[in-house]
Amino acid sequence: MRGAATPAALSYAASAIHGVLERTAQRGTEEMRIVESADVMLDPKRRFAAVAIATRHHPGPV
C-alpha cells in the first residue's frame, strides 16, 4: 500500500484487521491469530470502503 491514497490505505488496513479479528473469533482463542492470518492480511476477503464524514470545525479548545 506504499504510496496509496489515504482512503485506499485506510480501507485496506480496516479490511486486513477485520480478517485477523474474524479468524481469531473463529478459532475461539483469546490471543490474536496474526501469523495464522497472514493470507487474509495480504488479500482480505471482505473489503470495507473508507467514507468521509462531516465534522464540525471548533475554533478553540474543546
Side-chain angles (χ1 to χ4, degrees), residues 1-24:
M1 292 305 313
R2 187 175 303 235
T6 301
L10 289 172
S11 172
Y12 182 84
S15 301
I17 291 167
H18 178 270
V20 173
L21 295 175
E22 184 174 55
R23 178 142 316 151
T24 301

Side-chain angles (χ1 to χ4, degrees), residues 27-57:
R27 300 294 186 266
T29 64
E30 291 183 19
E31 294 183 6
M32 291 178 62
R33 311 310 300 174
I34 296 171
V35 173
E36 184 181 320
S37 301
D39 59 325
V40 294
M41 286 192 288
L42 293 174
D43 185 23
K45 305 301 179 226
R46 182 172 180 187
R47 299 290 177 143
F48 293 91
V51 178
I53 58 172
T55 60
R56 294 183 190 195
H57 174 60

